[in-house]
Structure formats: C-alpha cells, structure tokens
C-alpha cells in the first residue's frame, strides 16, 4: 500500500548528476526526469551563478534610488525583472557556453558530467532551450525604459564572446566580469532613465570582484586546463595567486566606495556613513575568503566561490538600509 506521497530519489540513484551540483538540489531531487538535462544545462542545480548575475543589478538599483532620493512600486518590478532575467539569461548563457565548450568539457574531470559532454542532451535540443530562455528574458526586458532595453540587448555581445576567451587570452575571468556585471548598466538605466558616473566605478568594482572569485574557482581545473591548453588567471598567476587576489579585493572595495561617494546626495551624512559600511563589510568577507584559500583543496575552492553570494548580498542589505534612511 502507498500513501500517495512521492519520496524524493536519493542522490546516489539519480542518473546524470553533475559533479559540482549542490547536494540535495531541487533539480536532482524533485524535478521530473525529462526536464533534468535541460535544467542542469541551465545550471539550475547550481544557483550561485544566478546570484552572481543578480547581485550587481541590486547594487545598482539601490544606489540609483539613493542618488535620486526616491523609490516607487515600479522599482519592485525592476527588481523582479532583474531576478527573473538573471535566472533566464544565466541559463541561456550557460547553454551557449556548454555548446561551444562541449569538446573541452569532455576532457575536464569537473565538467565531463555536464549534460552535453555526457550525452544527456543533444546540441539541437540545447540550442532550442537556449533560444527559448533568451526570448522569455527579452519579453521581460521590453517592459523597461528604452535605454535599459538597448543596454540589455548590448549584453549579448560580451555573453557571446566569453566562452571563446579561454582560447585566446590568459584573462577569460575578465571577460566573464564584463558580461556578468552588465546588469549594473541595465538596472541603473531602468530606474533613472539615464546613466550616472556613479555606475562606472560600480561596474568596474564588479569586474574586479569577478576576477577575485572566478580565479579561486578556476584553480579547481588548472591541471586539466594545462593538459588541454585552456588559459585562465589561475594558471597565469600560479603561486602568486594570493597577491593577485589581494589586489582584486582592494580594487573592488575602493571602486565600490568611490561609487558610493558619487551616488550619495549632498548633505546626507548619515546615509553616506551607512553606505560606506557596504564596501567595508564586503571587503572583510573577501579577506575571510583569502585567508582560507587553498589551491590544493577543490572542495574548499568551491565552497569559497559559492560564499560570494553572501559577500555580494552584504552591500545589498547595507544599500537598502541607507536608501530607507533617505527616502522622502
């Protein structure tokens, strides 16, 4: 006799699990079997990338609202579009990345279990799934002001280039930074209808942050990358990685602080002090990661990379608090 209640499949019995998927993730536990290869292709079993795409959008939205001194119901819609768009475009971008990298991924231990190199899904189906996600994201984008729409469409350029960067430069992490932080421009334009100089150092801060966490992440694959000739900052920096991480940390914190200085309204001393707590605490979290960096411990490297969700959310919470203090 059965109770009618489905029992989740144990992870050990679910076929096709990707090597670096989050333990007990909803895709491998609850999603219908027919949908799992597509969701895995979109990294729905590894949500950290969606967070890292969304967080710079939220930095930008809260600082834009702070600079303008007002917030409205439409800003909630902007936040929703940023969240849904981050999920969809992260998924579409991962499809594109895996389509272009499927032969490379098959030669790397950590990525060989991904849906395309492992044969869970074919290239044609992956392309259709990629286009479907991109079209849904485009529909959401069309609800924003015209400048945000133009900037959102322009994001396709760096997204398209990124998967090829590891083939021609030692700095593919910089190309990732350009692409994954593009939401800074879109969110600022969506709220203000224009851009501000304050958005420039904020975007650059995000790029430095990406170089920080993705260099940590890339150390998992440096031996396989060396064998197949794939370039990365992890291979480039080698034993000097801690010094470079320290540099990226300092640059990211300083540039975020500069963005705060440019965004804070004149005379808003309390807001200014609160806002500066954002980059300050953000830097402390990165320092915590740096002190635990061990290039020979893949599990620790993955843990540190994933911890950047919390690092990035610290300024979000601080900026939101400062905004509330200054609303009129």
């Amino acid at each position: 006799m059965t109770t009618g209640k489905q029992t989740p499949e144990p992870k050990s019995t679910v076929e096709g699990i990707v090597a670096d998927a989050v333990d007990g993730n909803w895709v491998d536990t609850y999603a219908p079997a027919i949908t799992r290869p597509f969701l895995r292709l979109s990294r729905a079993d590894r949500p950290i990338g969606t967070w890292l795409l969304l967080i710079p959008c939220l930095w930008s939205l809260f600082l834009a609202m702070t600079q303008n001194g007002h917030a409205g119901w439409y800003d909630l819609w902007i936040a929703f579009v940023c969240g849904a768009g981050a999920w969809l475009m992260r998924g579409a971008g991962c499809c594109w990345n895996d389509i272009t990298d499927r032969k490379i991924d098959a030669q790397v231990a950590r990525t060989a279990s991904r849906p395309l190199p492992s044969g869970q899904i074919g290239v044609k189906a992956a392309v259709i799934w990629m286009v479907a996600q991109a079209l849904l994201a485009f529909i959401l984008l069309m609800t924003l002001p015209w400048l945000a729409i133009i900037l959102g469409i322009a994001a396709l350029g760096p997204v398209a280039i990124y998967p090829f960067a590891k083939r021609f430069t030692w700095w593919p992490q910089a190309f990732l930074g350009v692409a994954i932080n593009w939401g800074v421009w879109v969110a600022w334009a969506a709220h203000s209808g224009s851009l501000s100089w304050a958005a420039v150092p904020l975007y650059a801060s995000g790029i430095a942050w990406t170089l920080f966490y993705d260099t940590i992440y890339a150390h998992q694959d440096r031996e396989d990358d060396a064998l197949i000739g794939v370039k990365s900052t992890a291979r480039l920096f080698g034993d000097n990685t801690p010094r470079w991480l320290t540099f990226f940390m300092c640059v990211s914190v300083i540039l975020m602080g500069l963005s705060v200085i440019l965004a804070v309204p004149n005379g808003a001393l309390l807001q200014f002090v609160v806002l500066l707590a954002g980059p300050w605490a953000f830097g402390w979290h990165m320092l915590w990661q740096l002190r635990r960096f061990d290039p020979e411990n893949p599990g620790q490297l993955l843990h540190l990379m994933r911890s950047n969700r919390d690092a990035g959310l610290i300024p979000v919470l601080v900026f939101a608090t400062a905004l509330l203090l200054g609303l009129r």
Side-chain angles (χ1 to χ4, degrees), residues 154-234:
L156 293 176
V159 169
I161 294 170
Y162 164 65
F164 301 99
K166 66 176 72 71
R167 295 164 169 84
F168 62 82
T169 178
W170 288 100
W171 293 83
Q173 281 69 30
F175 282 79
L176 176 63
V178 169
I180 203 169
N181 293 283
W182 199 269
V184 167
W185 305 120
V186 177
W188 202 292
H191 170 79
S192 303
S194 62
L195 292 175
S196 164
W197 283 111
V200 177
L202 187 65
Y203 179 61
S205 172
I207 294 174
W209 179 41
T210 303
L211 281 160
F212 177 87
Y213 64 68
D214 207 55
T215 296
I216 292 174
Y217 189 56
H219 268 275
Q220 296 177 94
D221 303 328
R222 66 189 188 279
E223 292 181 3
D224 286 337
D225 288 348
L227 289 173
I228 60 180
V230 169
K231 299 177 174 66
S232 72
T233 49

Side-chain angles (χ1 to χ4, degrees), residues 5 66 78 85 145 157 160 175 193-194 200 210 246 273 320:
K5 183 178 178 181
T66 298
I78 294 173
F175 282 79
S194 62
V200 177
T210 303
T246 302
V273 172

Side-chain angles (χ1 to χ4, degrees), residues 26-257:
W26 70 275
V27 174
D28 295 329
T29 306
Y30 299 108
I34 195 171
T35 68
R36 288 173 185 164
F38 296 93
L39 293 170
R40 290 168 183 149
L41 187 63
S42 294
R43 310 286 200 274
D45 53 347
R46 286 152 288 165
I48 181 60
T50 300
W51 281 108
L52 296 175
L53 193 60
L54 171 61
I55 284 169
C57 300
L58 299 179
W59 293 349
S60 182
L61 181 58
F62 282 121
L63 281 184
M65 288 190 285
T66 298
Q67 186 178 63
N68 294 335
H70 68 84
W73 290 110
Y74 185 65
D75 292 305
L76 288 177
W77 176 251
I78 294 173
F80 171 79
V81 170
C82 288
W87 195 90
L88 289 166
M89 286 309 298
R90 192 264 182 132
C94 288
C95 289
W96 174 242
N97 182 82
D98 286 10
I99 290 168
T100 60
D101 281 358
R102 61 191 185 278
K103 294 182 180 179
I104 293 175
D105 286 346
Q107 302 176 65
V108 177
R110 184 179 60 85
T111 58
S113 56
R114 288 179 177 176
L116 275 167
S118 65
Q120 296 178 50
I121 194 172
V123 174
K124 183 178 179 180
V127 170
I128 293 171
W129 178 232
M130 174 184 70
V131 172
Q133 292 172 98
L135 286 175
L136 287 173
F138 180 70
I139 291 170
L140 288 172
L141 181 66
M142 292 299 290
T143 67
L144 301 180
W146 68 269
L147 180 58
I149 294 172
I150 292 172
L151 290 167
I153 294 172
L156 293 176
V159 169
I161 294 170
Y162 164 65
F164 301 99
K166 66 176 72 71
R167 295 164 169 84
F168 62 82
T169 178
W170 288 100
W171 293 83
Q173 281 69 30
F175 282 79
L176 176 63
V178 169
I180 203 169
N181 293 283
W182 199 269
V184 167
W185 305 120
V186 177
W188 202 292
H191 170 79
S192 303
S194 62
L195 292 175
S196 164
W197 283 111
V200 177
L202 187 65
Y203 179 61
S205 172
I207 294 174
W209 179 41
T210 303
L211 281 160
F212 177 87
Y213 64 68
D214 207 55
T215 296
I216 292 174
Y217 189 56
H219 268 275
Q220 296 177 94
D221 303 328
R222 66 189 188 279
E223 292 181 3
D224 286 337
D225 288 348
L227 289 173
I228 60 180
V230 169
K231 299 177 174 66
S232 72
T233 49
R235 288 189 61 206
L236 176 65
F237 301 154
D239 293 339
N240 290 321
T241 293
R243 294 181 182 178
W244 280 98
L245 294 179
T246 302
F247 172 73
F248 295 141
M249 174 185 68
C250 293
V251 169
S252 185
V253 170
I254 291 169
L255 288 173
M256 185 181 288

